[in-house]
Amino acid sequence: MAKIDLVRNLGVVAHIDAGKTTVSERFLFHSGKIHKVGEVHDGETEMDWMDQERERGITITAAATTFEWKKHEIHLIDTPGHVDFTIEVERSLRVLDGAVVVFCGVAGVQPQSETVWHQADKFKVPRLAFVNKLDRVGASFPAVVADIRERLGANAVPVQLPIGVEDAFSGAIDLVTMKALMFSGEVVDAPEVTEIPSDLVAAAADARDQMLQSLADLDDAIAEKYLEGQDISEAELKAAIRKATIAVKMVPVLSGTALRNKGIHPLLDAVIDYLPSPADVPPVSGVDPRNTSEKLFRAPKNNEPFAALAFKIAMDEGRKVVFLRLFSGTIEPGHEILNVRTGKKEKIARLFHVHANKRERLDKAIAGEIVAAAGLKDATTGDTVCDPKAPILLERIDTYEPVISQAIEAENAAAKERLDFALGKMTEEDPTFRVKDDPDTGQTIISGMGELHLEIMVDRMKREYGVQARAGKPQVVYRETVLAEGDGHAVFERDLKEQAIYGEARCHVRSRQRGSGMEFKNTLPGMPLLPDVVVQAAMQGLKDAASSGPDGYPLEDVEVTLTAVAMRDGANAEIGARAAAAEAFRRAVATAHPSRLEPIMAVEVTVDDEFLGAVIGDLNQRRGQVQDVGTRGAKRVVQAHVALRNMFGYSTRVRSLSEGRATFSMLFHSYDTLQSA
């Protein structure tokens, strides 16, 4: 078991297709964890082990694994790059100490790399940048470094200088040791350390000088030596880079091409040299669950009370596995822990180190590690688990509100049980996936972060749980209202064997302002002739009838007044008054211009200036009303009201309009009269 300062908790993050999974695969190969290199494009990678990932060549779930490099234990999480799976990245960054951000040497900073970068800023995660695919035509290391500085506002400092470009890319000059690292391109070969080629000596000296200037701005000791022209040792340089990186004041930039096996060894060395161990990270803060105004801290030490965050739930052969990041203390199988959210104690049955979808049993987990635990039935994403004797509540992981829904139904009653079971398991795994039953249509509605997200969820139900389910298009639930005033009168008379039933009622309906809801009142004179129960029965009749208008949808924004009720001696007036009032109401509505209402959504689109016109034009085509166009940071924010039925397919459309850079949120705003299509 590694000492805490020999542990690294690392995430590999990037835009889709920048090469994150290939980088992760090379890490595992070089560390001896796997003995064959799988390629994403062949669908044979270790980390992308779900069928859906292999078919689409993308990463969907954050896979966790553990490997060793130069006596260090590295816990690695390969995260998705697709915007629909943002939560996977967010919750991984919450528990990691450092990240390697992979950029494509040709495309540079891409939209999703921006999103990921800002998520890492939010959690103050120290980062290394790895410029990948430098063997491609059009690749440029300096252009990507400039891009990182401009678009991400980061202090990107190259600590390497690539040797050769495109096809001729063959190595890198290490600006710390001032040696050349030559890559053969063979996966089994370590880089060859040689002297810097004579034609690059001047360029290397310039690049080193720029690196030293950047460091001098951040480190007084380096500044002093630099200004006096003294030699700075390799150890001093590494310590200064490490300190500045951990303080999130600089981002060391390295170069390579993972697919051609170039640049991975130095990148692994840089992870150990520059990224923090759990001991370098400030103590995690939380509150005392019994008194939330009292702040508590847990240092990453084994002798502190146990505290961990459950950051991911996965199902393994139908059993629930909870991924835990231990912030302090130690834990063993059989130990009892407290789940702060539920207030209940649970026993840990088994602990593992996980390697993608294989596992290795552990007798003990220590502070700073990432492990998987079995036996925790009630834990969900974001839960704090801790020592029952020293409760602490760590900050939860934010979840996102889903923006798209669709109906799903099982093929028969037997499949319905399996469907409900599968949906229950999948909502536990993914906090952005929601399930609810629509009371108006009786359908089961699933909601998620985008069309791809829901498509993959339905696909997983079929493969993992054997559920044959049909997913429909999302259904809009309308409402009805009246646009004018109207009166209605009805008499209800029946003779049953035991008794006669009689009731007579009049009512008046008129429209109310949009969004003001229903109002029921009566203007009956306070006569002792009418028992209270009869008046109540008539009012109930009005309310019953209001739940379904002429087209069968519930009514909205109508004022209903009961103006008269009559009864007859010897007849049951309660049933009579209720039935008569309901019929009077229906007649009144029929004369008061009934009209259908539809749900209007408040839509907010965050977009770059260059795509603003296209986004507004598209919202106008959807008959949306733009309410406001503002600015947030460097982005523009468009707020509009759009009918829900015109918003289907919007997530795909807005991405194609903005090269994937726009994000949007959609919330219910109000019901309004149906716009003609």
Side-chain angles (χ1 to χ4, degrees):
M1 187 170 297
K3 282 185 28 224
I4 191 162
D5 51 354
L6 298 180
V7 172
R8 296 287 180 275
N9 290 317
L10 174 71
V12 180
V13 293
H15 182 86
I16 196 161
D17 273 351
K20 300 177 299 309
T21 301
T22 308
V23 169
S24 303
E25 290 289 314
R26 295 304 183 268
F27 279 3
L28 297 180
F29 181 86
H30 291 312
S31 68
K33 190 78 191 194
I34 55 174
H35 303 291
K36 169 178 174 288
V37 172
E39 305 298 0
V40 174
H41 49 82
D42 297 336
E44 285 184 354
T45 57
E46 281 279 316
M47 301 295 278
D48 285 351
W49 50 272
M50 286 166 63
D51 292 342
Q52 294 85 341
E53 296 180 307
R54 290 186 165 185
E55 282 167 19
R56 292 176 172 82
I58 61 170
T59 304
I60 294 167
T61 60
T65 189
T66 308
F67 64 91
E68 277 194 13
W69 181 255
K70 297 192 174 170
K71 300 196 171 62
H72 286 65
E73 184 179 282
I74 299 180
H75 300 273
L76 173 77
I77 295 188
D78 176 29
T79 62
H82 198 288
V83 63
D84 278 11
F85 307 102
T86 307
I87 183 76
E88 288 280 341
V89 184
E90 181 109 0
R91 59 188 178 185
S92 303
L93 287 171
R94 170 77 173 80
V95 298
L96 293 170
D97 301 327
V100 170
V101 187
V102 182
F103 294 95
C104 171
V106 182
V109 176
Q110 292 164 283
Q112 192 59 15
S113 24
E114 287 183 55
T115 310
V116 168
W117 195 270
H118 296 316
Q119 285 173 319
D121 281 341
K122 177 169 152 186
F123 296 121
K124 299 186 174 56
V125 178
R127 276 148 275 185
L128 297 177
F130 179 67
V131 180
N132 192 23
K133 304 191 178 184
L134 283 176
D135 58 327
R136 293 268 186 99
V137 176
S140 162
F141 183 73
V144 178
V145 173
D147 215 12
I148 296 172
R149 285 178 185 155
E150 281 163 36
R151 294 203 26 200
L152 302 175
N155 182 20
V157 180
V159 292
Q160 283 183 351
L161 186 68
I163 298 174
V165 290
E166 298 179 0
D167 280 359
F169 173 68
S170 57
I173 295 167
D174 184 329
L175 301 176
V176 175
T177 59
M178 286 308 268
K179 295 276 188 221
L181 305 169
M182 302 308 290
F183 310 123
S184 70
E186 288 304 314
V187 71
V188 290
D189 291 352
E192 186 192 342
V193 181
T194 64
E195 293 305 313
I196 297 172
S198 55
D199 57 334
L200 290 172
V201 169
D206 271 358
R208 180 180 165 96
D209 197 54
Q210 285 174 346
M211 177 183 82
L212 290 174
Q213 283 178 25
S214 301
L215 271 174
D217 290 343
L218 302 170
D219 191 299
D220 293 346
I222 298 279
E224 210 169 293
K225 287 197 160 185
Y226 175 72
L227 291 170
E228 289 172 6
Q230 292 180 23
D231 270 354
I232 302 170
S233 74
E234 188 184 318
E236 284 175 301
L237 261 183
K238 282 190 172 170
I241 295 172
R242 181 181 180 84
K243 189 173 143 197
T245 305
I246 291 175
V248 200
K249 288 185 176 158
M250 81 174 254
V251 178
V253 188
L254 294 96
S255 60
T257 169
L259 192 63
R260 302 279 170 267
N261 311 304
K262 296 177 181 179
I264 297 297
H265 285 76
L267 180 58
L268 277 168
D269 291 343
V271 164
I272 287 166
D273 289 340
Y274 306 136
L275 287 181
S277 78
D280 300 318
V281 178
V284 65
S285 69
V287 293
D288 186 329
R290 296 159 300 193
N291 170 17
T292 49
S293 59
E294 189 186 332
K295 270 209 134 177
L296 299 173
F297 294 93
R298 290 278 185 273
K301 296 193 171 93
N302 290 343
N303 56 3
E304 289 254 327
F306 165 71
L309 191 71
F311 69 96
K312 181 177 167 60
I313 308 292
M315 292 298 156
D316 181 41
E317 294 167 3
R319 286 195 299 278
K320 179 168 166 177
V321 177
V322 181
F323 283 86
L324 298 175
R325 159 69 201 261
L326 276 72
F327 285 105
S328 63
T330 62
I331 187 80
E332 291 174 24
H335 273 190
E336 205 172 47
I337 55 160
L338 171 71
N339 180 333
V340 179
R341 180 181 57 86
T342 61
K344 288 183 187 155
K345 292 179 186 171
E346 292 194 79
K347 258 204 174 71
I348 289 196
R350 289 181 303 288
L351 288 172
F352 313 95
H353 270 165
V354 175
H355 171 47
N357 59 345
K358 303 183 196 69
R359 46 179 37 189
E360 179 188 330
R361 291 287 280 270
L362 289 178
D363 300 327
K364 184 180 185 183
I366 61 167
E369 285 197 303
I370 288 177
V371 295
L376 302 179
K377 293 188 186 62
D378 294 336
T380 62
T381 301
D383 280 358
T384 302
V385 293
C386 61
D387 184 331
K389 296 194 217 49
I392 182 171
L393 176 60
L394 304 173
E395 187 188 339
R396 276 192 75 82
I397 297 170
D398 293 339
T399 61
Y400 291 86
E401 286 308 307
V403 294
I404 188 162
S405 318
Q406 71 187 120
I408 188 160
E409 60 181 33
E411 298 202 323
N412 51 41
K416 172 87 173 99
E417 273 183 35
R418 281 211 306 280
L419 172 68
D420 291 344
F421 173 77
L423 290 173
K425 293 284 188 202
M426 288 162 79
T427 46
E428 272 192 33
E429 278 183 52
D430 184 347
T432 55
F433 179 65
R434 313 273 173 89
V435 179
K436 70 171 198 292
D437 286 328
D438 187 316
D440 295 309
T441 62
Q443 286 173 308
T444 300
I445 306 287
I446 56 174
S447 315
M449 295 306 295
E451 287 158 87
L452 176 67
H453 187 195
L454 291 185
E455 181 191 316
I456 280 168
M457 285 305 202
V458 173
D459 200 31
R460 284 186 57 198
M461 272 181 237
K462 288 179 183 159
R463 297 192 197 200
E464 289 173 38
Y465 297 98
V467 175
Q468 290 306 318
R470 284 191 296 266
K473 280 196 168 158
Q475 296 297 313
V476 175
V477 179
Y478 295 100
R479 295 278 191 268
E480 295 184 56
T481 193
V482 296
L483 301 179
E485 300 191 28
D487 287 292
H489 167 244
V491 175
F492 184 85
E493 196 170 2
R494 290 282 187 284
D495 276 325
L496 295 176
K497 284 178 220 155
E498 287 85 37
Q499 65 178 141
I501 296 170
Y502 179 84
E504 184 180 351
R506 284 178 190 280
C507 78
H508 179 76
V509 298
R510 65 176 190 159
S511 62
R512 299 185 75 200
Q513 201 179 340
R514 278 300 141 262
S516 54
M518 297 294 291
E519 186 182 8
F520 296 93
K521 53 189 189 180
N522 74 61
T523 55
L524 300 172
M527 292 187 293
L529 301 171
L530 281 174
D532 206 28
V533 285
V534 176
V535 177
Q536 291 305 320
M539 294 301 285
Q540 190 55 50
L542 296 176
K543 287 175 186 158
D544 291 347
S547 65
S548 174
D551 286 347
Y553 298 108
L555 277 115
E556 192 99 343
D557 302 338
V558 181
E559 179 189 280
V560 189
T561 312
L562 181 65
T563 53
V565 175
M567 47 191 271
R568 187 185 285 165
D569 285 349
N572 183 325
E574 271 182 66
I575 299 172
R578 187 169 177 166
E583 183 54 35
F585 175 80
R586 282 191 277 272
R587 290 177 184 176
V589 167
T591 63
H593 287 301
S595 167
R596 201 186 283 188
L597 295 172
E598 64 177 338
I600 306 293
M601 310 306 279
V603 178
E604 182 179 285
V605 189
T606 309
V607 65
D608 290 353
D609 228 344
E610 59 191 290
F611 307 115
L612 184 65
V615 164
I616 291 177
D618 180 67
L619 287 169
N620 287 335
Q621 271 184 326
R622 293 170 188 272
R623 309 178 66 82
Q625 294 167 334
V626 175
Q627 306 291 313
D628 183 41
V629 180
T631 358
R632 190 178 296 154
K635 302 264 191 185
R636 304 302 299 270
V637 180
V638 183
Q639 290 176 334
H641 292 163
V642 194
L644 175 61
R645 67 192 159 93
N646 296 335
M647 287 301 289
F648 296 136
Y650 186 67
S651 53
T652 313
R653 177 80 183 129
V654 79
R655 271 178 215 154
S656 68
L657 285 175
S658 65
E659 295 176 11
R661 286 189 207 164
T663 56
F664 82 102
S665 67
M666 183 166 80
L667 292 168
F668 171 74
H669 177 257
S670 61
Y671 275 96
D672 211 339
T673 40
L674 197 59
Q675 303 165 346
S676 52

